[in-house]
Amino acid sequence: MLVNLPLTRDNASKIPTLKYRLYLAELADVDIENWPAPVKATISEDVLLVGKTYKYLDCKINSINPNAGPGESPLTGKLTLSPIIDGITPDSLSWLYTNMGNDVIAVWERCQDGQQFIGGSPCSGGLKIKLTSVGTLDGGMLGISLTLEGGDCPEPFYFYNGPLTVAEDPVPQT
């Protein structure tokens, strides 16, 4: 099960910093048979099975870096997201150890303007969660760096303006 990890604070300013929020759902929770058709490269419907929810991670600003590089064919692309979770807590480390290797779909939102995107459709087989680094990251901060990598798909990601049903946050707020 994925664990919600709340916004962290910038140690220098002690105020919440702008982030990307990354919503994740297990690929098994996706309604694969009824994946909605995009309109103008936008998915506007819920892609989850009834009763299923997203969990979220708050990531360091500019760390998502969506990249849809070439696939095996010139007609496909492979989506890669590179989120960095600022800080390490027992909850974030437990989440990492439980979910490495899982396939998910992801909706990522720029908190600055609310723009959302979705990737990891059934076409790509979802996005596989891979560990890049845990501990001291570039810049000397403690954190967790992940890679979410999809398979070949002619449409690696879309804009998203559908509903986001989010599970309650089980992590105590500090």
Side-chain angles (χ1 to χ4, degrees):
M1 179 170 174
L2 301 173
V3 175
N4 291 346
L5 302 175
L7 284 169
T8 57
R9 294 185 179 270
D10 179 290
N11 290 336
S13 67
K14 301 295 183 198
I15 59 173
T17 55
L18 293 175
K19 305 281 182 190
Y20 273 96
R21 179 157 281 179
L22 179 64
Y23 298 91
L24 301 172
E26 299 283 343
L27 191 58
D29 293 345
V30 174
D31 190 352
I32 293 172
E33 299 298 320
N34 297 304
W35 184 265
V39 175
K40 289 185 152 184
T42 304
I43 299 285
S44 299
E45 298 174 39
D46 195 353
V47 299
L48 299 183
L49 293 166
V50 174
K52 298 300 181 178
T53 59
Y54 291 91
K55 299 290 185 169
Y56 67 86
L57 298 168
D58 284 313
C59 305
K60 185 176 177 189
I61 193 164
N62 298 328
S63 75
I64 295 289
N65 298 323
N67 180 14
E72 297 294 320
S73 147
L75 305 177
T76 63
K78 283 187 172 188
L79 176 61
T80 302
L81 301 175
S82 307
I84 296 174
I85 303 164
D86 198 1
I88 300 173
T89 66
D91 291 313
S92 64
L93 207 53
S94 176
W95 177 87
L96 172 67
Y97 294 158
T98 301
N99 291 286
M100 276 193 299
N102 287 358
D103 291 317
V104 297
I105 63 161
V107 173
W108 62 99
E109 176 181 4
R110 286 188 308 241
C111 295
Q112 181 179 8
D113 64 6
Q115 181 64 66
Q116 296 176 343
F117 304 88
I118 188 168
S121 71
C123 166
S124 69
L127 300 170
K128 187 163 296 295
I129 299 172
K130 298 179 180 182
L131 173 66
T132 304
S133 179
V134 63
T136 304
L137 304 176
D138 290 340
M141 68 171 221
L142 284 177
I144 299 170
S145 178
L146 303 174
T147 301
L148 304 176
E149 187 175 293
D152 282 4
C153 184
E155 299 162 341
F157 69 92
Y158 300 103
F159 286 89
Y160 185 73
N161 63 11
L164 282 169
T165 306
V166 180
E168 287 188 33
D169 186 355
V171 179
Q173 299 292 317
T174 57

